Coordinates of all heavy atoms in Angstrom, one line a residue:
M1 N -55.5 -18.6 -50.1 CA -54.6 -19.3 -50.9 C -54.8 -20.9 -50.7 O -54.7 -21.6 -51.7 CB -53.2 -18.9 -50.5 CG -52.1 -19.6 -51.3 SD -52.1 -19.0 -53.0 CE -50.7 -19.8 -53.6
K2 N -55.0 -21.3 -49.5 CA -55.1 -22.7 -49.2 C -56.4 -23.3 -49.9 O -56.4 -24.4 -50.5 CB -55.2 -23.0 -47.7 CG -55.1 -24.4 -47.4 CD -55.0 -24.6 -45.9 CE -54.8 -26.0 -45.5 NZ -54.6 -26.2 -44.1
K3 N -57.5 -22.5 -49.9 CA -58.7 -22.9 -50.6 C -58.5 -23.0 -52.1 O -59.0 -23.9 -52.7 CB -59.8 -21.9 -50.2 CG -61.2 -22.4 -50.7 CD -62.2 -21.4 -50.2 CE -63.6 -22.0 -50.6 NZ -64.7 -21.2 -50.0
I4 N -57.8 -22.1 -52.7 CA -57.5 -22.1 -54.1 C -56.7 -23.3 -54.4 O -56.9 -24.0 -55.4 CB -56.8 -20.8 -54.6 CG1 -57.8 -19.6 -54.5 CG2 -56.3 -20.9 -56.0 CD1 -57.2 -18.3 -54.7
T5 N -55.6 -23.6 -53.6 CA -54.8 -24.7 -53.9 C -55.6 -26.0 -53.8 O -55.4 -26.9 -54.6 CB -53.6 -24.8 -52.8 OG1 -52.9 -23.5 -53.0 CG2 -52.7 -25.9 -53.1
S6 N -56.4 -26.1 -52.8 CA -57.3 -27.3 -52.6 C -58.2 -27.5 -53.8 O -58.3 -28.6 -54.4 CB -58.1 -27.3 -51.4 OG -57.3 -27.2 -50.2
S7 N -58.8 -26.5 -54.3 CA -59.7 -26.5 -55.4 C -58.9 -26.9 -56.7 O -59.4 -27.7 -57.5 CB -60.4 -25.2 -55.7 OG -61.2 -24.9 -54.6
L8 N -57.8 -26.3 -56.8 CA -56.9 -26.7 -58.0 C -56.5 -28.1 -58.0 O -56.6 -28.8 -59.0 CB -55.7 -25.8 -58.0 CG -54.7 -26.0 -59.2 CD1 -55.4 -25.7 -60.5 CD2 -53.5 -25.1 -59.0
L9 N -56.1 -28.6 -56.8 CA -55.7 -30.0 -56.7 C -56.9 -31.0 -57.0 O -56.7 -32.0 -57.7 CB -55.1 -30.3 -55.4 CG -53.7 -29.7 -55.1 CD1 -53.3 -30.0 -53.7 CD2 -52.7 -30.2 -56.1
I10 N -58.0 -30.6 -56.5 CA -59.2 -31.4 -56.8 C -59.5 -31.5 -58.3 O -59.8 -32.5 -58.9 CB -60.4 -31.0 -56.0 CG1 -60.2 -31.3 -54.5 CG2 -61.7 -31.6 -56.5 CD1 -61.2 -30.6 -53.6
N11 N -59.5 -30.3 -58.9 CA -59.8 -30.2 -60.4 C -58.7 -31.0 -61.2 O -59.1 -31.7 -62.1 CB -59.9 -28.8 -60.8 CG -61.1 -28.1 -60.4 OD1 -62.1 -28.8 -60.2 ND2 -61.1 -26.8 -60.1
I12 N -57.5 -30.9 -60.8 CA -56.4 -31.6 -61.5 C -56.6 -33.1 -61.3 O -56.5 -33.9 -62.3 CB -55.0 -31.2 -61.0 CG1 -54.7 -29.8 -61.5 CG2 -53.9 -32.2 -61.5 CD1 -53.4 -29.2 -60.9
G13 N -57.0 -33.5 -60.1 CA -57.2 -34.9 -59.8 C -58.4 -35.5 -60.7 O -58.3 -36.6 -61.2
L14 N -59.4 -34.7 -60.8 CA -60.6 -35.1 -61.6 C -60.2 -35.2 -63.1 O -60.6 -36.2 -63.7 CB -61.8 -34.2 -61.4 CG -62.4 -34.2 -60.0 CD1 -63.5 -33.1 -59.9 CD2 -63.0 -35.6 -59.8
C15 N -59.4 -34.3 -63.6 CA -59.0 -34.4 -64.9 C -58.1 -35.6 -65.2 O -58.2 -36.3 -66.2 CB -58.2 -33.1 -65.3 SG -59.3 -31.6 -65.5
L16 N -57.2 -35.8 -64.2 CA -56.3 -37.0 -64.3 C -57.1 -38.3 -64.3 O -56.8 -39.2 -65.0 CB -55.2 -36.9 -63.3 CG -54.2 -35.8 -63.4 CD1 -53.2 -35.8 -62.2 CD2 -53.4 -36.0 -64.7
L17 N -58.1 -38.3 -63.4 CA -58.9 -39.5 -63.3 C -59.7 -39.8 -64.6 O -59.7 -40.9 -65.1 CB -59.9 -39.3 -62.2 CG -60.9 -40.5 -61.9 CD1 -60.1 -41.8 -61.6 CD2 -61.8 -40.2 -60.8
F18 N -60.2 -38.7 -65.2 CA -60.9 -38.8 -66.5 C -59.9 -39.4 -67.6 O -60.2 -40.3 -68.3 CB -61.5 -37.5 -67.0 CG -62.1 -37.5 -68.3 CD1 -63.3 -38.2 -68.5 CD2 -61.5 -37.0 -69.4 CE1 -63.9 -38.2 -69.8 CE2 -62.0 -37.0 -70.7 CZ -63.2 -37.6 -70.8
C19 N -58.7 -38.8 -67.7 CA -57.7 -39.2 -68.6 C -57.3 -40.6 -68.4 O -57.1 -41.4 -69.3 CB -56.5 -38.3 -68.6 SG -56.9 -36.6 -69.2
M20 N -57.1 -41.0 -67.1 CA -56.7 -42.3 -66.7 C -57.8 -43.3 -67.1 O -57.4 -44.4 -67.6 CB -56.5 -42.3 -65.2 CG -56.3 -43.7 -64.7 SD -56.6 -43.8 -62.9 CE -58.3 -43.4 -62.9
T21 N -59.0 -43.0 -66.9 CA -60.1 -43.9 -67.3 C -60.1 -44.2 -68.8 O -60.2 -45.3 -69.2 CB -61.5 -43.3 -66.9 OG1 -61.4 -43.1 -65.4 CG2 -62.6 -44.3 -67.2
L22 N -59.9 -43.1 -69.6 CA -59.8 -43.3 -71.0 C -58.6 -44.2 -71.4 O -58.7 -45.0 -72.3 CB -59.7 -42.0 -71.7 CG -61.0 -41.1 -71.6 CD1 -60.7 -39.8 -72.3 CD2 -62.2 -41.8 -72.3
S23 N -57.4 -44.0 -70.8 CA -56.2 -44.6 -71.2 C -56.1 -46.1 -70.6 O -55.3 -46.8 -71.1 CB -55.0 -43.8 -70.8 OG -54.8 -43.9 -69.4
C24 N -57.0 -46.4 -69.7 CA -56.8 -47.7 -69.0 C -57.9 -48.7 -69.4 O -58.0 -49.8 -68.8 CB -56.9 -47.6 -67.5 SG -55.4 -46.9 -66.8
T25 N -58.7 -48.4 -70.4 CA -59.8 -49.3 -70.8 C -59.3 -50.7 -71.2 O -59.9 -51.7 -70.9 CB -60.6 -48.7 -71.9 OG1 -59.8 -48.3 -73.0 CG2 -61.4 -47.5 -71.4
Q26 N -58.1 -50.8 -71.8 CA -57.6 -52.1 -72.2 C -56.7 -52.7 -71.1 O -56.9 -53.9 -70.8 CB -56.7 -51.9 -73.4 CG -57.5 -51.6 -74.7 CD -56.6 -51.5 -75.9 OE1 -55.4 -51.0 -75.8 NE2 -57.1 -51.9 -77.0
H27 N -55.9 -51.9 -70.4 CA -54.9 -52.5 -69.5 C -55.5 -52.6 -68.1 O -55.2 -53.6 -67.4 CB -53.6 -51.6 -69.4 CG -53.0 -51.5 -70.8 ND1 -52.4 -52.5 -71.4 CD2 -52.9 -50.4 -71.6 CE1 -52.0 -52.1 -72.6 NE2 -52.3 -50.8 -72.7
K28 N -56.3 -51.6 -67.6 CA -56.9 -51.6 -66.3 C -55.9 -51.7 -65.2 O -56.2 -52.2 -64.1 CB -58.0 -52.7 -66.2 CG -59.2 -52.3 -67.0 CD -60.4 -53.1 -66.4 CE -61.7 -52.5 -66.9 NZ -62.8 -53.0 -66.2
R29 N -54.6 -51.4 -65.4 CA -53.6 -51.4 -64.3 C -53.3 -49.9 -64.0 O -53.0 -49.1 -64.8 CB -52.3 -52.0 -64.8 CG -51.3 -52.0 -63.7 CD -50.1 -52.9 -64.2 NE -49.0 -52.8 -63.2 CZ -47.9 -52.1 -63.3 NH1 -47.7 -51.3 -64.3 NH2 -47.1 -52.0 -62.3
I30 N -53.3 -49.7 -62.7 CA -53.1 -48.3 -62.2 C -52.0 -48.4 -61.1 O -52.2 -49.2 -60.1 CB -54.3 -47.7 -61.6 CG1 -55.4 -47.6 -62.7 CG2 -54.1 -46.3 -61.0 CD1 -56.8 -47.2 -62.2
V31 N -51.0 -47.5 -61.1 CA -50.1 -47.3 -60.0 C -50.7 -46.3 -59.1 O -51.0 -45.1 -59.6 CB -48.7 -46.9 -60.5 CG1 -47.8 -46.8 -59.3 CG2 -48.2 -48.0 -61.5
F32 N -50.9 -46.6 -57.9 CA -51.7 -45.8 -57.0 C -50.9 -45.4 -55.7 O -50.4 -46.2 -55.0 CB -53.0 -46.6 -56.5 CG -53.9 -45.8 -55.7 CD1 -55.0 -45.1 -56.3 CD2 -53.8 -45.8 -54.3 CE1 -55.9 -44.4 -55.5 CE2 -54.7 -45.1 -53.5 CZ -55.8 -44.4 -54.1
Y33 N -50.8 -44.0 -55.5 CA -50.2 -43.5 -54.3 C -51.3 -42.9 -53.5 O -52.0 -42.0 -53.9 CB -49.1 -42.5 -54.5 CG -48.8 -41.7 -53.2 CD1 -48.1 -42.4 -52.2 CD2 -49.2 -40.5 -53.0 CE1 -47.9 -41.7 -51.0 CE2 -49.0 -39.8 -51.8 CZ -48.3 -40.4 -50.8 OH -48.1 -39.8 -49.7
G34 N -51.5 -43.4 -52.3 CA -52.5 -42.9 -51.4 C -52.9 -44.0 -50.4 O -52.3 -45.0 -50.3
N35 N -53.9 -43.6 -49.6 CA -54.4 -44.6 -48.6 C -55.3 -45.6 -49.3 O -56.2 -45.3 -49.9 CB -55.3 -43.8 -47.6 CG -55.7 -44.6 -46.4 OD1 -55.8 -45.8 -46.5 ND2 -56.0 -44.0 -45.3
A36 N -54.9 -46.9 -49.1 CA -55.6 -48.0 -49.8 C -57.0 -48.1 -49.3 O -57.8 -48.9 -49.9 CB -54.8 -49.3 -49.7
D37 N -57.3 -47.5 -48.2 CA -58.7 -47.6 -47.6 C -59.6 -46.5 -48.1 O -60.8 -46.4 -47.7 CB -58.6 -47.7 -46.1 CG -58.0 -48.9 -45.6 OD1 -58.1 -50.0 -46.2 OD2 -57.3 -48.8 -44.5
N38 N -59.1 -45.5 -48.9 CA -60.0 -44.4 -49.2 C -61.0 -44.8 -50.3 O -60.9 -45.8 -50.9 CB -59.2 -43.2 -49.6 CG -58.6 -43.2 -51.0 OD1 -59.2 -43.7 -51.9 ND2 -57.4 -42.7 -51.2
D39 N -62.0 -44.0 -50.4 CA -63.2 -44.3 -51.3 C -62.8 -44.4 -52.8 O -63.3 -45.3 -53.5 CB -64.3 -43.2 -51.1 CG -63.8 -41.8 -51.4 OD1 -62.5 -41.5 -51.4 OD2 -64.6 -40.9 -51.6
L40 N -61.8 -43.6 -53.2 CA -61.4 -43.7 -54.6 C -60.7 -45.0 -54.9 O -61.0 -45.7 -55.9 CB -60.4 -42.5 -55.0 CG -59.8 -42.5 -56.4 CD1 -60.9 -42.5 -57.4 CD2 -58.9 -41.4 -56.5
C41 N -59.9 -45.4 -54.0 CA -59.2 -46.7 -54.2 C -60.2 -47.9 -54.2 O -60.1 -48.7 -55.1 CB -58.2 -46.9 -53.0 SG -57.1 -48.4 -53.2
R42 N -61.1 -47.9 -53.3 CA -62.1 -48.9 -53.3 C -63.0 -48.9 -54.5 O -63.3 -50.0 -55.1 CB -63.0 -48.8 -52.0 CG -62.2 -49.1 -50.7 CD -63.2 -49.3 -49.5 NE -64.1 -48.2 -49.4 CZ -63.9 -47.1 -48.6 NH1 -62.8 -47.1 -47.8 NH2 -64.8 -46.2 -48.5
M43 N -63.3 -47.7 -55.0 CA -64.2 -47.6 -56.2 C -63.4 -48.2 -57.4 O -64.0 -48.9 -58.2 CB -64.6 -46.2 -56.4 CG -65.6 -46.0 -57.5 SD -65.0 -45.6 -59.2 CE -63.8 -44.3 -59.0
L44 N -62.2 -47.8 -57.6 CA -61.4 -48.3 -58.7 C -61.3 -49.9 -58.7 O -61.4 -50.5 -59.7 CB -60.0 -47.7 -58.7 CG -60.0 -46.2 -59.1 CD1 -58.6 -45.6 -58.8 CD2 -60.4 -46.0 -60.5
Q45 N -61.1 -50.4 -57.5 CA -61.0 -51.9 -57.4 C -62.3 -52.5 -57.7 O -62.4 -53.5 -58.4 CB -60.5 -52.2 -55.9 CG -59.1 -51.9 -55.7 CD -58.7 -52.1 -54.3 OE1 -59.4 -51.9 -53.3 NE2 -57.4 -52.4 -54.1
Q46 N -63.4 -51.9 -57.3 CA -64.7 -52.4 -57.6 C -65.0 -52.4 -59.1 O -65.8 -53.2 -59.6 CB -65.8 -51.7 -56.8 CG -65.8 -51.9 -55.3 CD -66.8 -51.0 -54.6 OE1 -67.4 -50.1 -55.1 NE2 -66.9 -51.3 -53.3
E47 N -64.4 -51.4 -59.7 CA -64.6 -51.3 -61.2 C -63.7 -52.2 -62.0 O -63.7 -52.2 -63.2 CB -64.4 -49.8 -61.6 CG -65.5 -48.9 -61.1 CD -66.9 -49.2 -61.7 OE1 -67.0 -49.6 -62.9 OE2 -67.8 -49.1 -60.9
G48 N -62.9 -53.0 -61.3 CA -62.1 -54.0 -61.9 C -60.7 -53.6 -62.3 O -59.9 -54.3 -63.0
F49 N -60.2 -52.4 -61.8 CA -58.9 -52.0 -62.0 C -57.9 -52.7 -61.1 O -58.2 -53.0 -59.9 CB -58.7 -50.5 -61.8 CG -59.4 -49.6 -62.8 CD1 -60.7 -49.2 -62.7 CD2 -58.7 -49.3 -64.0 CE1 -61.3 -48.5 -63.7 CE2 -59.3 -48.6 -65.0 CZ -60.7 -48.2 -64.8
N50 N -56.8 -53.0 -61.6 CA -55.7 -53.7 -60.8 C -54.8 -52.6 -60.3 O -54.1 -52.0 -61.1 CB -54.9 -54.7 -61.7 CG -53.8 -55.3 -61.0 OD1 -53.7 -55.3 -59.8 ND2 -52.9 -55.9 -61.8
L51 N -54.8 -52.4 -59.0 CA -54.0 -51.3 -58.4 C -52.7 -51.8 -57.8 O -52.7 -52.8 -57.1 CB -54.8 -50.6 -57.3 CG -56.1 -49.9 -57.7 CD1 -56.7 -49.2 -56.4 CD2 -56.0 -49.0 -58.8
Q52 N -51.7 -51.1 -58.1 CA -50.4 -51.3 -57.5 C -50.2 -50.2 -56.6 O -49.9 -49.1 -57.0 CB -49.2 -51.4 -58.5 CG -47.9 -51.6 -57.9 CD -46.8 -51.6 -58.9 OE1 -47.0 -51.5 -60.1 NE2 -45.6 -51.8 -58.4
V53 N -50.4 -50.4 -55.3 CA -50.3 -49.3 -54.3 C -48.8 -49.2 -53.9 O -48.1 -50.1 -53.5 CB -51.1 -49.6 -53.0 CG1 -51.0 -48.5 -52.0 CG2 -52.6 -49.8 -53.4
V54 N -48.3 -47.9 -53.9 CA -46.9 -47.6 -53.6 C -46.9 -46.6 -52.4 O -47.9 -46.0 -52.0 CB -46.2 -47.1 -54.8 CG1 -46.1 -48.1 -55.9 CG2 -46.8 -45.8 -55.4
S55 N -45.7 -46.4 -51.9 CA -45.5 -45.6 -50.7 C -45.1 -44.1 -50.9 O -45.0 -43.4 -49.9 CB -44.5 -46.2 -49.8 OG -43.2 -46.3 -50.4
S56 N -44.9 -43.7 -52.1 CA -44.6 -42.2 -52.3 C -45.0 -41.8 -53.8 O -45.0 -42.7 -54.6 CB -43.1 -42.0 -52.1 OG -42.4 -42.5 -53.1
P57 N -45.2 -40.5 -54.0 CA -45.4 -40.1 -55.4 C -44.3 -40.4 -56.3 O -44.5 -40.9 -57.4 CB -45.6 -38.6 -55.2 CG -46.1 -38.4 -53.8 CD -45.4 -39.4 -53.0
A58 N -43.0 -40.3 -55.8 CA -41.9 -40.6 -56.6 C -41.8 -42.0 -57.0 O -41.5 -42.4 -58.2 CB -40.6 -40.2 -55.9
Q59 N -42.2 -42.9 -56.1 CA -42.2 -44.3 -56.4 C -43.3 -44.7 -57.4 O -43.1 -45.5 -58.3 CB -42.4 -45.2 -55.1 CG -42.3 -46.6 -55.3 CD -42.5 -47.4 -54.0 OE1 -43.2 -47.0 -53.1 NE2 -41.9 -48.6 -53.9
A60 N -44.4 -44.0 -57.3 CA -45.5 -44.2 -58.3 C -45.0 -43.9 -59.7 O -45.2 -44.6 -60.7 CB -46.7 -43.4 -57.9
I61 N -44.3 -42.7 -59.8 CA -43.8 -42.3 -61.1 C -42.8 -43.3 -61.6 O -42.8 -43.7 -62.8 CB -43.2 -40.9 -61.1 CG1 -44.3 -39.9 -60.6 CG2 -42.6 -40.5 -62.4 CD1 -45.5 -39.7 -61.5
D62 N -41.9 -43.7 -60.8 CA -40.8 -44.6 -61.2 C -41.3 -46.0 -61.6 O -40.8 -46.6 -62.5 CB -39.8 -44.8 -60.0 CG -38.9 -43.5 -59.8 OD1 -38.9 -42.7 -60.7 OD2 -38.4 -43.4 -58.7
K63 N -42.3 -46.5 -60.9 CA -42.9 -47.9 -61.1 C -43.8 -47.9 -62.3 O -44.1 -49.0 -62.8 CB -43.6 -48.4 -59.9 CG -42.6 -48.6 -58.7 CD -42.9 -49.9 -58.1 CE -41.9 -50.1 -57.0 NZ -41.2 -51.4 -57.1
A64 N -44.4 -46.8 -62.7 CA -45.4 -46.8 -63.8 C -44.7 -47.0 -65.1 O -43.9 -46.1 -65.5 CB -46.2 -45.5 -63.7
P65 N -45.1 -48.0 -65.9 CA -44.5 -48.1 -67.2 C -45.1 -47.0 -68.2 O -46.2 -46.5 -67.9 CB -45.0 -49.5 -67.7 CG -45.8 -50.1 -66.6 CD -45.9 -49.1 -65.5
A66 N -44.5 -46.8 -69.2 CA -45.0 -45.8 -70.2 C -46.4 -46.2 -70.7 O -46.7 -47.4 -70.9 CB -44.0 -45.8 -71.4
G67 N -47.2 -45.2 -70.7 CA -48.6 -45.4 -71.1 C -49.6 -45.9 -70.0 O -50.8 -46.0 -70.3
S68 N -49.1 -46.2 -68.8 CA -49.9 -46.6 -67.8 C -50.5 -45.4 -67.0 O -50.0 -44.3 -67.1 CB -49.2 -47.6 -66.8 OG -48.2 -46.9 -66.1
A69 N -51.5 -45.7 -66.2 CA -52.1 -44.7 -65.4 C -51.5 -44.6 -64.0 O -51.1 -45.6 -63.5 CB -53.6 -44.9 -65.3
V70 N -51.4 -43.4 -63.5 CA -50.9 -43.1 -62.2 C -51.9 -42.2 -61.4 O -52.4 -41.2 -62.0 CB -49.6 -42.4 -62.2 CG1 -49.1 -42.0 -60.8 CG2 -48.5 -43.2 -62.9
V71 N -52.3 -42.6 -60.2 CA -53.1 -41.8 -59.4 C -52.3 -41.4 -58.1 O -51.8 -42.2 -57.4 CB -54.4 -42.6 -58.9 CG1 -55.2 -41.8 -57.9 CG2 -55.3 -42.9 -60.1
L72 N -52.3 -40.1 -57.9 CA -51.6 -39.6 -56.7 C -52.6 -38.8 -55.9 O -52.9 -37.6 -56.2 CB -50.4 -38.6 -57.2 CG -49.4 -39.2 -58.2 CD1 -48.5 -38.1 -58.7 CD2 -48.6 -40.3 -57.5
T73 N -53.1 -39.5 -54.9 CA -54.1 -38.8 -54.0 C -53.6 -38.3 -52.7 O -54.1 -37.3 -52.2 CB -55.3 -39.7 -53.7 OG1 -54.8 -40.9 -53.0 CG2 -56.0 -40.2 -55.0
G74 N -52.6 -38.9 -52.2 CA -52.0 -38.5 -50.9 C -52.6 -39.4 -49.8 O -53.7 -40.0 -49.9
L75 N -51.8 -39.6 -48.8 CA -52.2 -40.5 -47.7 C -53.4 -40.0 -46.9 O -54.1 -40.8 -46.3 CB -51.0 -40.7 -46.8 CG -49.9 -41.5 -47.4 CD1 -48.7 -41.6 -46.4 CD2 -50.3 -42.9 -47.8
T76 N -53.6 -38.7 -46.9 CA -54.7 -38.1 -46.1 C -55.9 -37.6 -47.0 O -56.7 -36.9 -46.6 CB -54.2 -36.9 -45.3 OG1 -53.6 -36.0 -46.2 CG2 -53.2 -37.4 -44.3
Y77 N -56.0 -38.1 -48.3 CA -57.0 -37.8 -49.2 C -58.4 -37.9 -48.5 O -58.6 -38.9 -47.8 CB -57.0 -38.7 -50.4 CG -58.2 -38.7 -51.3 CD1 -58.3 -37.7 -52.3 CD2 -59.2 -39.6 -51.2 CE1 -59.5 -37.7 -53.1 CE2 -60.3 -39.6 -52.0 CZ -60.4 -38.6 -52.9 OH -61.6 -38.6 -53.7
P78 N -59.3 -37.0 -48.6 CA -59.3 -35.9 -49.5 C -58.6 -34.6 -49.0 O -58.7 -33.6 -49.6 CB -60.8 -35.6 -49.7 CG -61.4 -36.0 -48.4 CD -60.6 -37.2 -47.9
H79 N -58.0 -34.7 -47.9 CA -57.2 -33.6 -47.4 C -55.8 -33.5 -48.0 O -55.3 -34.5 -48.4 CB -57.2 -33.6 -45.8 CG -58.5 -33.7 -45.2 ND1 -59.4 -32.7 -45.2 CD2 -59.2 -34.8 -44.6 CE1 -60.6 -33.1 -44.6 NE2 -60.4 -34.4 -44.3
I80 N -55.2 -32.4 -47.9 CA -53.8 -32.2 -48.4 C -52.8 -33.1 -47.7 O -52.8 -33.1 -46.5 CB -53.4 -30.7 -48.4 CG1 -54.3 -29.9 -49.4 CG2 -52.0 -30.6 -48.8 CD1 -54.1 -28.5 -49.3
D81 N -52.0 -33.8 -48.4 CA -50.9 -34.6 -47.9 C -49.7 -33.8 -47.8 O -48.9 -33.6 -48.8 CB -50.7 -35.8 -48.8 CG -49.7 -36.8 -48.3 OD1 -49.0 -36.5 -47.2 OD2 -49.5 -37.8 -48.9
S82 N -49.4 -33.2 -46.7 CA -48.3 -32.3 -46.5 C -46.9 -33.0 -46.5 O -45.9 -32.4 -46.7 CB -48.4 -31.4 -45.3 OG -48.5 -32.2 -44.1
A83 N -46.9 -34.3 -46.2 CA -45.7 -35.0 -46.1 C -45.1 -35.4 -47.5 O -43.9 -35.5 -47.6 CB -45.9 -36.3 -45.3
N84 N -45.9 -35.6 -48.5 CA -45.5 -36.0 -49.8 C -46.1 -35.0 -50.9 O -47.2 -35.1 -51.3 CB -45.9 -37.4 -50.1 CG -45.2 -38.4 -49.3 OD1 -44.0 -38.6 -49.5 ND2 -45.9 -39.0 -48.3
R85 N -45.3 -34.1 -51.3 CA -45.7 -33.1 -52.3 C -45.5 -33.7 -53.7 O -44.6 -34.4 -54.0 CB -44.8 -31.9 -52.2 CG -45.0 -31.2 -50.9 CD -46.0 -30.2 -51.0 NE -46.2 -29.4 -49.8 CZ -47.3 -28.9 -49.4 NH1 -48.4 -28.9 -50.2 NH2 -47.5 -28.2 -48.3
I86 N -46.4 -33.3 -54.6 CA -46.3 -33.6 -56.0 C -45.7 -32.4 -56.6 O -46.3 -31.3 -56.7 CB -47.7 -33.9 -56.6 CG1 -48.4 -35.0 -55.9 CG2 -47.6 -34.1 -58.1 CD1 -49.8 -35.2 -56.2
T87 N -44.5 -32.5 -57.1 CA -43.7 -31.4 -57.6 C -43.8 -31.4 -59.1 O -44.1 -32.3 -59.8 CB -42.2 -31.5 -57.2 OG1 -41.7 -32.7 -57.8 CG2 -42.1 -31.6 -55.7
Q88 N -43.4 -30.2 -59.7 CA -43.4 -30.1 -61.1 C -42.4 -31.0 -61.7 O -42.6 -31.6 -62.8 CB -43.0 -28.6 -61.5 CG -43.1 -28.4 -63.0 CD -44.5 -28.6 -63.6 OE1 -45.5 -28.1 -63.1 NE2 -44.5 -29.4 -64.7
S89 N -41.3 -31.3 -61.1 CA -40.3 -32.2 -61.6 C -40.8 -33.6 -61.7 O -40.5 -34.4 -62.6 CB -39.0 -32.2 -60.8 OG -39.2 -32.6 -59.5
L90 N -41.6 -34.0 -60.7 CA -42.3 -35.4 -60.8 C -43.2 -35.4 -62.0 O -43.3 -36.4 -62.7 CB -43.0 -35.7 -59.5 CG -42.3 -36.3 -58.4 CD1 -43.2 -36.4 -57.1 CD2 -41.7 -37.6 -58.7
L91 N -44.1 -34.4 -62.2 CA -45.0 -34.4 -63.3 C -44.3 -34.4 -64.6 O -44.7 -35.1 -65.5 CB -45.9 -33.2 -63.2 CG -46.9 -33.2 -62.0 CD1 -47.7 -31.9 -61.9 CD2 -47.8 -34.4 -62.0
T92 N -43.2 -33.6 -64.7 CA -42.4 -33.6 -65.9 C -41.8 -35.0 -66.2 O -41.9 -35.4 -67.4 CB -41.3 -32.5 -65.8 OG1 -41.9 -31.3 -65.6 CG2 -40.5 -32.5 -67.1
K93 N -41.3 -35.6 -65.2 CA -40.8 -37.0 -65.4 C -41.8 -37.9 -65.9 O -41.6 -38.7 -66.8 CB -40.2 -37.4 -64.0 CG -39.5 -38.8 -64.1 CD -38.9 -39.1 -62.7 CE -38.2 -40.4 -62.7 NZ -37.6 -40.8 -61.4
R94 N -43.0 -37.8 -65.3 CA -44.1 -38.7 -65.8 C -44.5 -38.5 -67.2 O -44.7 -39.4 -68.0 CB -45.3 -38.5 -64.8 CG -46.5 -39.3 -65.2 CD -46.3 -40.8 -65.2 NE -47.4 -41.5 -65.8 CZ -47.3 -42.7 -66.4 NH1 -46.2 -43.3 -66.5 NH2 -48.4 -43.3 -66.9
F95 N -44.7 -37.2 -67.6 CA -45.1 -36.9 -68.9 C -44.1 -37.3 -70.0 O -44.4 -37.5 -71.1 CB -45.5 -35.4 -69.0 CG -46.8 -35.1 -68.3 CD1 -46.9 -34.2 -67.3 CD2 -48.0 -35.8 -68.6 CE1 -48.1 -33.9 -66.6 CE2 -49.2 -35.6 -67.9 CZ -49.2 -34.6 -67.0
K96 N -42.8 -37.3 -69.6 CA -41.7 -37.7 -70.5 C -41.8 -39.2 -70.8 O -41.3 -39.7 -71.8 CB -40.4 -37.4 -69.9 CG -40.0 -35.9 -70.1 CD -38.7 -35.6 -69.6 CE -38.3 -34.1 -69.7 NZ -37.0 -33.8 -69.2
K97 N -42.4 -40.0 -69.9 CA -42.6 -41.4 -70.2 C -43.6 -41.7 -71.3 O -43.5 -42.8 -71.9 CB -43.0 -42.1 -68.9 CG -41.9 -42.4 -67.9 CD -42.5 -43.3 -66.8 CE -41.3 -43.8 -65.9 NZ -41.8 -44.7 -64.9
N98 N -44.6 -40.9 -71.4 CA -45.6 -41.2 -72.4 C -45.3 -40.7 -73.8 O -44.6 -39.8 -74.1 CB -47.0 -40.6 -72.0 CG -47.5 -41.4 -70.8 OD1 -47.2 -42.5 -70.7 ND2 -48.4 -40.7 -70.0

């Protein structure tokens, strides 16, 4: 079950990254939850994205304006962040903004 969950989270993350890249071509602003030293964060900064790093998934959803991109990787990315769960209610809240 843990392996399936990890694979699912990775696939969801890649899909979100793809969608985020398409939606951020003009604005290039991303609200980012995760470790600011991880490879994804560094790569996005190198590509010219302006990251607003926040301390929780809920804060990322709250701070993101409508139409902006949000990346939720977790503090222990690429491993599962057991301290901060991404819940269905958070995702629903985010999708209602767009």
Side-chain angles (χ1 to χ4, degrees):
M1 179 72 173
K2 190 173 186 177
K3 188 174 185 176
I4 292 172
T5 303
S6 297
S7 297
L8 179 62
L9 289 176
I10 290 170
N11 287 328
I12 290 171
L14 291 174
C15 288
L16 290 174
L17 180 62
F18 175 73
C19 293
M20 171 200 64
T21 302
L22 292 177
S23 69
C24 287
T25 53
Q26 290 180 325
H27 304 292
K28 288 201 165 196
R29 179 174 178 256
I30 299 170
V31 181
F32 185 91
Y33 165 70
N35 186 336
D37 293 327
N38 77 37
D39 56 344
L40 176 61
C41 185
R42 289 192 310 264
M43 186 267 313
L44 290 170
Q45 289 171 328
Q46 289 172 354
E47 292 297 321
F49 289 92
N50 177 17
L51 300 184
Q52 178 182 0
V53 180
V54 296
S55 60
S56 72
Q59 187 180 27
I61 301 300
D62 290 340
K63 294 228 180 233
S68 66
V70 176
V71 174
L72 305 171
T73 62
L75 294 177
T76 57
Y77 167 83
H79 305 289
I80 295 174
D81 181 356
S82 60
N84 291 289
R85 297 267 182 207
I86 300 168
T87 63
Q88 184 61 49
S89 62
L90 275 178
L91 294 176
T92 301
K93 184 177 182 179
R94 175 61 187 154
F95 289 122
K96 283 183 180 179
K97 281 189 169 186
N98 287 336

